[in-house]
Amino acid sequence: MCDDAFDADALLPELTPAELVAVIGAAEQRLIDAPLAALSEDGLLALLESREQARRKSVVADAALLVEISDRGAYRRAGYTTLHQLLAHGLRIGEAESRRRRVTAASVGRFTAMTGERLAPKYPATAVAVADGAIGDGHVWAIDEVMDKIPASVDPEQRARAEELLAAAARTLDSAGVTIVGNRILAHLDPDGTLADDKDRQRQAKFRLSAQDRQLMSAVQARLTPQLRAEFEVMFTQWATPGMNNPDDPDSPHGAADQPGLDPAVLAAAAERDTRLLGRRQHDALLALLAWANAQSVHAKPESLRNQIVVTVTDEDLARGAGIAWTTTGTRMPVSDLVKMAADAVPYLAVFAKATGQPLYLGRAHRLASRAQRLALFARDRGCTAPGCTRPFSQCEMHHAPDWQDGGPTDIDHLGGACGKHNRWNGKNPGDWESTVLTGGPDRGRMAWRPVGQDGPWIVNPLFHPDKLRTGPHTPEAERTPPPAVNHRLGTTGPPGIGTTAESGVTRLSWKDLAA
């Protein structure tokens, strides 16, 4: 059969969605082993284009699947409270990829109205282009980003026309080109920038710290309102003046340049020694201001650790002034920086090499954990113990295992850190999770979780203890850290392909049924 006459639809009977996915998986496996070397250069290029078109069409199918899961709340059956949690942690695709897929689904998917009818896609022309295989999810993200910047006061017809133009441009341009076209459309709709109002600005405002990189540095993603920018500019004028708040100069004045009592000659001399560029001066100014603000803050309730800098570090690293320490907010800090910080402040320094003698076992006398217990738990857990959660310890509550209402004691070997969301995970119904403090094995003493009713292994959160991951060929199999399950509620899944499950009915098919 020649390629021109090949009809894939004719090879497939009336299959269920699960059967179609199994066929796709089997076809992908066959394609991996296909003799690509036998194709001509034109054949390779044609195959590449066909693959990209098929990948783009799959975006619509994925969006429809996510919409159905969202409408029916099916993520709860997997033990999650939101679709985002299911994608980010259940499928382990991460926070960023989960957001991108949800943006795509919201842009081209058809949600269900309260009356039960299917609504039109948010971006109709974009949805058609994706279904045609002409544009991909990268184009969708670019279109959504432009559409989000259109002021709310723009006429709905003009907004719809803008989406049509963007979708048409995406059929011939890459995502960067769509952004360029979008900027021209924005300039046409609001040439003077006067249509944007406070609601538009507040909707776009953000200030987000990115994760630390290998050098423990963090990037900042920010979009400031005019008010916050003005506040920054006033602060930088005084705190980032050359010579002020220079950590490399022990004689540099601290605080604002116009503070009472500051000798102008001292500041002038410090400015002469100051070789920092503007960006570094503003960084140091912000650091000095936040250190001053934290020192002035009123103490929260006595058992809380959220209002202070609390650091855990081993006694060995502290003695040699090297290594990495952890703060309750989740920041990894070089011990050398910790020593500098401790010289100007009195943070709680949790060095748990020996027993402190403080009461860590309160039984049923108190429901709330004490400060000593929280410090000890921070040193052990460092953050939320729920699988895949990245919430630092400062955002955690003290979780009882078993629950307090079920007789759980407020003892250190029955407590663990859990953010508010995951602290409410615990329950006895389908969709809930159960937790325990492990009493044996390589993770002894750590809080572990698993869905209610599942007999699978208890799952610990490795994200705050990457140094304790046990993997590799030299690690005994019984001691290896098990990978997190993808399908927590519905049990394990076999390898992809035809014949994976009896329930799907795919075993009725064989490759001879699909042969050309």
Side-chain angles (χ1 to χ4, degrees):
M1 179 182 293
C2 65
D3 291 343
D4 294 337
F6 182 75
D7 185 3
D9 289 337
L11 296 178
L12 300 177
E14 295 296 327
L15 300 182
T16 67
E19 292 169 344
L20 288 172
V21 171
V23 171
I24 292 173
E28 292 287 349
Q29 185 60 48
R30 289 289 295 267
L31 187 58
I32 292 175
D33 302 327
L36 298 179
L39 296 178
S40 65
E41 285 81 359
D42 290 338
L44 289 172
L45 294 176
L47 180 62
L48 177 65
E49 185 174 351
S50 298
R51 287 280 292 168
E52 181 60 28
Q53 188 178 40
R55 183 179 289 108
R56 291 172 174 178
K57 288 184 176 181
S58 70
V59 171
V60 178
D62 290 342
L65 177 60
L66 294 183
V67 167
E68 192 66 25
I69 292 175
S70 176
D71 284 349
R72 295 167 58 177
Y75 44 79
R76 297 188 184 92
R77 181 166 175 78
Y80 298 96
T81 57
T82 65
L83 177 63
H84 174 69
Q85 293 174 20
L86 174 64
L87 296 177
H89 306 304
L91 299 185
R92 306 192 310 280
I93 64 175
E95 302 276 342
E97 180 62 22
S98 173
R99 282 192 292 269
R100 285 192 287 266
R101 294 193 187 184
R102 288 185 294 115
V103 166
T104 301
S107 300
V108 302
R110 300 188 62 184
F111 288 85
T112 304
M114 297 295 292
T115 57
E117 62 178 330
R118 284 289 183 180
L119 301 175
K122 180 181 179 181
Y123 304 135
T126 303
V128 171
V130 175
D132 291 342
I135 69 175
D137 45 12
H139 295 98
V140 177
W141 304 332
I143 291 173
D144 179 73
E145 187 176 35
V146 173
M147 294 297 296
D148 188 58
K149 294 178 181 178
I150 297 179
S153 58
V154 170
D155 183 86
E157 292 185 2
Q158 289 183 306
R159 181 182 295 271
R161 178 57 179 161
E163 189 265 328
E164 293 174 357
L165 292 174
L166 289 169
R171 288 176 176 268
T172 57
L173 300 173
D174 59 15
S175 57
V178 173
T179 300
I180 293 175
V181 172
N183 289 334
R184 293 176 180 174
I185 292 175
L186 291 173
H188 172 75
L189 294 176
D190 189 13
D192 301 324
T194 57
L195 295 181
D197 55 18
D198 288 340
K199 290 183 179 180
D200 293 315
R201 285 185 282 269
Q202 294 295 335
R203 177 169 50 85
Q204 299 180 39
K206 66 177 180 179
F207 192 99
R208 182 185 302 126
L209 290 175
S210 299
Q212 289 179 282
D213 59 21
R214 293 182 179 180
Q215 295 180 322
L216 305 185
M217 302 294 285
S218 301
V220 175
Q221 302 177 24
R223 189 165 177 81
L224 309 183
T225 60
Q227 179 184 359
L228 181 55
R229 178 187 174 90
E231 297 285 358
F232 263 120
E233 289 175 334
V234 171
M235 183 272 292
F236 284 142
T237 300
Q238 298 300 325
W239 290 69
T241 297
M244 293 297 300
N245 303 297
N246 187 353
D248 300 328
D249 184 357
D251 297 325
S252 172
H254 292 273
D258 61 349
Q259 60 183 286
L262 179 59
D263 188 346
V266 173
L267 177 56
E272 287 291 333
R273 300 188 299 269
D274 196 347
T275 60
R276 298 171 299 166
L277 299 179
L278 176 61
R280 172 67 189 279
R281 294 203 313 271
Q282 291 183 341
H283 170 276
D284 295 341
L286 188 58
L287 173 62
L289 177 63
L290 292 177
W292 175 85
N294 288 332
Q296 306 303 315
S297 63
V298 178
H299 288 306
K301 51 188 178 181
E303 68 273 11
S304 175
L305 301 182
R306 299 184 180 184
N307 62 320
Q308 304 160 65
I309 296 177
V310 185
V311 184
T312 179
V313 62
T314 66
D315 55 349
E316 179 184 357
D317 286 346
L318 186 62
R320 62 191 180 95
I324 301 297
W326 288 71
T327 72
T328 55
T329 54
T331 296
R332 293 170 293 151
M333 175 185 299
V335 171
S336 56
D337 285 358
L338 169 62
V339 173
K340 294 177 183 177
M341 179 185 295
D344 299 321
V346 188
Y348 274 89
L349 189 59
V351 185
F352 292 96
K354 298 180 180 179
T356 63
Q358 299 187 65
L360 300 180
Y361 295 85
L362 304 181
R364 296 286 295 176
H366 299 277
R367 180 177 180 273
L368 299 179
S370 67
R371 178 181 292 273
Q373 289 176 318
R374 292 171 187 266
L375 287 169
L377 289 173
F378 163 54
R380 186 193 73 186
D381 297 337
R382 298 180 182 173
C384 180
T385 58
C389 186
T390 58
R391 295 285 184 178
F393 195 83
S394 62
Q395 300 179 22
C396 288
E397 302 169 357
M398 298 303 100
H399 174 67
H400 290 73
D403 274 347
W404 173 262
Q405 59 265 30
D406 295 330
T410 308
D411 294 341
I412 197 67
D413 52 1
H414 287 275
L415 294 173
C419 65
K421 174 181 65 180
H422 291 130
N423 197 20
R424 295 184 291 273
W425 258 16
N426 231 56
K428 302 177 181 179
N429 301 316
D432 295 334
W433 287 61
E434 57 184 346
S435 57
T436 186
V437 176
L438 300 177
T439 58
D443 291 313
R444 182 177 180 270
R446 295 181 62 186
M447 181 74 73
W449 302 71
R450 69 182 179 188
V452 170
Q454 184 180 10
D455 296 328
W458 291 98
I459 307 170
V460 298
N461 187 2
L463 298 183
F464 294 98
H465 298 274
D467 53 309
K468 295 183 179 180
L469 283 174
R470 292 169 300 283
T471 57
H474 301 296
T475 304
E477 185 173 355
E479 298 182 6
R480 293 180 185 177
T481 301
V486 175
N487 198 343
H488 296 300
R489 282 300 314 165
L490 305 182
T492 57
T493 56
I498 292 182
T500 300
T501 61
E503 180 183 358
S504 69
V506 178
T507 50
R508 296 195 308 268
L509 297 175
S510 64
W511 274 106
K512 65 181 181 180
D513 298 318
L514 302 178

